[in-house]
Amino acid sequence: MRTLLKSGRIYDGTGAEPWVGDLLIDGERIARIAPEIDEAADAVYDLRGKSVAPGFIDVHSHNDWFAIHKNPQPYFEPFIRQGITSFVTGNCGLSAIGFEDGTPNVKRMGGGLFGYRGQTTGVYPDAARFFDAVDGKVPCNIAVLAGHCSARASVAGEENRKLTAQEQERMLAILEENLKMGAAGVSLGLMYSPGMFADEAELRRVAELCVKYDKPLTVHPRAESRISTSYPELLGRSHLLRAMDELARIAKGTKLKLQFSHLIFVGRGSFGDKDEALRIIDRLCAEGVRAQFDIYNEKKGVSVITVILPTWYRGMSDAERKKPWNRLRLAALVFAAVKLLGFGFNDIEVAYIGPGYEQYEGKTVHQLAQENHMSDLKMYLKLCRESDYQGRVNMGPYTTDEIIHEFEKNDKCLYMTDAWVEDYGVQNPAIYDCFPKFLRDSLLGLGDTMPNTIHRMTGASAERFGIRDRGYLREGCYADVTVFDEAALKNAVPDQECSFGIEAVFVNGEALLKDGRILPNAKCGRAIRV
């Protein structure tokens, strides 16, 4: 199949200024790029007035868990409409790969957010088998990180303790074997079980492994807010900054590719940490650590409903919870947490409680409390109980427009979504329009220049994760191509439930999105072995 794209404004992914020209696709690859191409083709697209870029790369995704679903396409469609063609998956330590054959702890993979729950095509303990399972069977291209949580759970379950020497060597061997098989790096999830139980010595060994193979270590740190459950002290240095200090100590003296995942500031109380967080990253780079970070273009994010509920309260029986002293203690702690974090029950939007509770979805805890004539705390606890403490919320603020726009121009920043499609309830808005909003910011003069913006979401992302022959519009590269309308992007009013400005998407030469329609049952995506 030969496809000719004519007269488009070409951004090649390098950060160079665009130029008008033609692009010829032959099979999976780009055959020619020139000011004018006069060759026979099976399909010709007139792109006058449109812009052409390499397919966008989402560098922080959890779509490894959905690529192995029996019907993966619905979980990829919103991202395709954003112009995304490739994903770096397995983030936050919670990869679908990276555990021993026959481990009794398979059900512990995914940290409670994801898992092997009957909808998958099989169980894939290592990168090699995962790649075989997804190659040519999914709509988009998939790279995968080996998750530290997955490897640790494989050898020691979710026990809160230091690993024995033998367990640590088994865990490191799992991670190393997956790196050899083509995993793009290792991910840490230090707010998730069992990653949260790892000490700095263990994490240093993991970092050394990444240095050995020259692959990134992506990190969901222990804290992303001024206070958290990760540190006992409520006063003194912000917990967010303490978590970054820990990573700085782990990386110190190495050439580690350290990737700070989703650099956010949860709650208004942490916004003041932004400048110091950037200074930590800059100091690491000055010392030789190859530190970068990534962001999404949203001010809120997904969390579990128990996000502000102390663990001691969850462990109590209903009778103990009703005791006046425990009620008073809980109220005092929640009040203090809300004040110190800088958000309240009006900032917690219910996304999903369970079947029969759809009337709660899309409303804040505060709104529901008013409707039900009870205090915010009582309503919150009611929602926790009714969801069996498994409910999902969209909450914030996690950042501000001003922080997003500043970070968009930072040369150490890459772009991502950190979002996935849920089967029920209110969706994370990042599944719909995160990347178009980055483009729109550029056109409105709020973000970086358009060539640099596209470079971050294409070539720079491919280079960071060692993805070959993608991220650039060059002869011989895979034909991952996104076509967009700059006028439509600039003039759009973002809607939380749909994308905008993206005209067409090609994955490995296949027209995946055109005329607003996505190719049904698409299986043009490839496994990305690094």
Side-chain angles (χ1 to χ4, degrees), residues 106 205 223 466:
V106 171
R205 294 287 306 278

Side-chain angles (χ1 to χ4, degrees), residues 62 64-65 89-100 108-110 124-127 144-155 170-172 174-176 178-179 183-190 193-195 202-203 206 209-210 216-218:
H62 296 280
D64 47 329
W65 290 101
T89 66
N91 280 280
C92 299
L94 307 174
S95 63
I97 67 160
F99 50 93
E100 292 174 317
R108 300 184 185 279
M109 303 305 156
Y124 307 101
D126 57 56
V144 67
L145 303 162
H148 168 254
C149 287
S150 298
R152 199 181 204 274
S154 177
V155 302
R170 283 170 57 198
M171 180 193 73
L172 292 170
I174 292 168
L175 295 174
E176 183 165 19
N178 278 274
L179 291 174
V186 175
S187 68
L188 299 179
L190 301 181
S193 175
E202 178 182 329
L203 299 178
V206 175
L209 200 55
C210 291
L217 178 68
T218 74

Side-chain angles (χ1 to χ4, degrees), residues 259 281-282 285 291-294 410-414 456:
Q259 187 75 20
I281 294 172
D282 288 341
C285 291
Q292 293 186 15
F293 63 96
D294 45 65
N410 190 295
D411 61 4
K412 300 176 184 68
C413 179
L414 299 178
R456 293 181 198 282

Side-chain angles (χ1 to χ4, degrees), residues 60-73:
H60 186 104
S61 172
H62 296 280
N63 273 348
D64 47 329
W65 290 101
F66 303 98
I68 56 177
H69 270 230
K70 293 173 182 175
N71 180 20
Q73 179 141 333

Side-chain angles (χ1 to χ4, degrees), residues 88-340:
V88 179
T89 66
N91 280 280
C92 299
L94 307 174
S95 63
I97 67 160
F99 50 93
E100 292 174 317
D101 264 327
T103 177
N105 298 314
V106 171
K107 291 184 179 179
R108 300 184 185 279
M109 303 305 156
L113 291 172
F114 316 103
Y116 286 103
R117 297 171 183 154
Q119 298 179 24
T120 62
T121 55
V123 176
Y124 307 101
D126 57 56
R129 278 177 279 189
F130 175 83
F131 290 143
D132 288 343
V134 303
D135 192 46
K137 302 179 182 70
V138 290
C140 300
N141 306 309
I142 304 288
V144 67
L145 303 162
H148 168 254
C149 287
S150 298
R152 199 181 204 274
S154 177
V155 302
E158 293 183 298
E159 296 181 29
N160 181 2
R161 61 174 175 82
K162 184 175 181 177
L163 296 179
T164 66
Q166 183 184 41
E167 287 170 338
Q168 185 169 114
E169 293 308 316
R170 283 170 57 198
M171 180 193 73
L172 292 170
I174 292 168
L175 295 174
E176 183 165 19
E177 186 63 22
N178 278 274
L179 291 174
K180 289 178 179 178
M181 290 176 176
V186 175
S187 68
L188 299 179
L190 301 181
M191 285 179 68
Y192 299 109
S193 175
M196 63 175 64
F197 307 134
D199 60 18
E200 286 188 23
E202 178 182 329
L203 299 178
R204 180 81 179 193
R205 294 287 306 278
V206 175
E208 289 168 355
L209 200 55
C210 291
V211 173
K212 177 180 178 180
Y213 289 90
D214 194 30
K215 293 184 178 183
L217 178 68
T218 74
V219 188
H220 183 138
R222 293 193 194 275
E224 296 172 311
S225 53
R226 179 157 184 77
I227 62 166
S228 70
T229 58
S230 296
Y231 301 96
E233 305 87 0
L234 295 183
L235 302 177
R237 189 162 174 79
S238 160
H239 291 188
L240 182 154
L241 297 176
R242 293 186 200 193
M244 295 189 72
D245 292 339
E246 176 185 40
L247 300 178
R249 291 191 295 270
I250 291 165
K252 189 174 179 62
T254 75
K255 298 292 184 181
L256 177 66
K257 290 182 177 178
L258 177 61
Q259 187 75 20
F260 289 87
S261 296
H262 37 59
L263 188 57
I264 53 176
F265 305 89
V266 177
R268 299 172 185 88
S270 65
F271 292 169
D273 293 333
K274 183 260 298 179
D275 290 342
E276 176 63 12
L278 290 178
R279 283 193 289 269
I280 291 171
I281 294 172
D282 288 341
R283 281 198 300 269
L284 282 170
C285 291
E287 294 169 359
V289 178
R290 291 171 289 175
Q292 293 186 15
F293 63 96
D294 45 65
I295 63 170
Y296 41 63
N297 204 323
E298 300 292 345
K299 289 179 286 187
K300 60 183 178 181
V302 176
S303 189
V304 292
I305 198 167
T306 54
V307 63
I308 61 170
L309 197 64
T311 53
W312 58 262
Y313 182 85
R314 288 185 60 189
M316 288 181 171
S317 66
D318 285 339
E320 289 175 313
R321 289 175 184 150
K322 292 176 181 178
K323 291 180 179 178
W325 165 244
N326 288 329
R327 284 184 171 182
L328 182 62
R329 181 185 174 200
L330 174 68
L333 283 174
V334 169
F335 177 79
V338 165
K339 286 294 183 183
L340 289 171

